[in-house]
Amino acid sequence: SSMLPVADAAMEHRLYLPLAGLIISAGALLARRPGRRVGRLVIPAGFALAVVYGGLTHLRNRDYQSAERMTRATLAQRPDNFRARSTLVMDLLDGDKFAEGEQEARELVARLEKGIAQGGAFAEVGGMNAEGYYPVGLNQLGRALLCLNRIPEAIAYFDRALAALPTHKEAWLNKALALHIGGNAESALAAIDEALRIDPSYGNALAARKV
């Protein structure tokens, strides 16, 4: 439904336009005069389909009630969708569910390590395989530990994320926050500056630098 290539081709909201052709074609076929026997079946069959698909739509709409519910529904279908699991961690942390966030972050890291051990077999959206997403998982686990005020553990995971991807600006900023909470203001500023060296327009780092 687009002239532009996108990483996420399988999106429900992208199905409306492609379905238009099918719906018009079906309507055109039904508009023709069917035989008497077929004509008797059209209305009840259409009603039955409407009830079935209406019920399925209602069930699917329940998944849209919250971001957490949507990501859990995605993971029920694709447990090794790294980005969905990372999104779930963010949703849990934003909802102050820190212990659950840590648990899901550890599950994410474990699945990433399994994927790396299998040669990056768990390729996911946008061509991001297990090895490529590993720093993201480590950073997410560090964030969960930071939210639990387990500062040394959090810094250790941020360091692991940065060892895997030195240009991970979010990990630098999160490490800066952990260092600041831990009372190491000088090292925190150095970490913020490193994030800004990577991306001078990084808004969160610029805001943190002013504090």
Side-chain angles (χ1 to χ4, degrees):
S1 65
S2 173
M3 297 294 292
L4 301 175
V6 292
D8 298 308
M11 289 286 192
E12 290 175 43
H13 66 270
R14 300 183 65 82
L15 294 177
Y16 296 122
L17 183 59
L19 281 174
L22 295 176
I23 293 171
I24 292 171
S25 299
L29 289 173
L30 291 175
R32 301 179 61 184
R33 291 188 177 182
R36 184 176 298 177
R37 181 176 299 177
V38 176
R40 292 199 198 109
L41 296 176
V42 168
I43 293 178
F47 179 77
L49 286 173
V51 171
V52 171
Y53 286 115
L56 292 173
T57 299
H58 174 72
L59 291 175
R60 180 55 173 163
N61 283 340
R62 293 169 62 184
D63 292 332
Y64 281 86
Q65 291 178 358
S66 71
E68 179 184 342
R69 185 160 184 162
M70 174 61 77
T71 49
R72 287 193 184 279
T74 300
L75 291 171
Q77 300 295 322
R78 298 188 68 184
D80 291 316
N81 187 316
F82 305 138
R83 190 173 66 175
R85 198 167 291 279
S86 176
T87 299
L88 177 58
V89 175
M90 289 189 288
D91 293 337
L92 291 170
L93 297 182
D94 290 343
D96 296 335
K97 300 177 181 178
F98 303 143
E100 289 183 62
E102 181 195 359
Q103 181 180 356
E104 290 296 338
R106 290 192 182 280
E107 179 68 17
L108 170 60
V109 170
R111 287 179 178 274
L112 287 166
E113 290 175 344
K114 179 181 178 182
I116 292 171
Q118 295 181 358
F122 295 154
E124 281 297 339
V125 289
M128 183 71 79
N129 61 14
E131 186 173 359
Y133 218 86
Y134 191 49
V136 177
L138 294 170
N139 180 58
Q140 290 288 55
L141 181 50
R143 286 187 62 237
L145 294 167
L146 179 59
C147 289
L148 290 166
N149 203 34
R150 290 155 60 180
I151 306 303
E153 292 178 78
I155 292 175
Y157 276 100
F158 294 141
D159 284 339
R160 286 180 60 184
L162 292 168
L165 182 63
T167 57
H168 196 329
K169 62 183 182 182
E170 290 83 4
W172 278 112
L173 184 58
N174 287 331
K175 180 180 178 179
L177 178 58
L179 289 167
H180 177 73
I181 294 173
N184 195 337
E186 184 176 348
S187 295
L189 285 174
I192 293 175
D193 288 340
E194 184 61 27
L196 288 172
R197 186 190 67 78
I198 296 166
D199 181 3
S201 63
Y202 186 20
N204 290 339
L206 288 170
R209 193 67 175 80
K210 295 178 181 178
V211 175

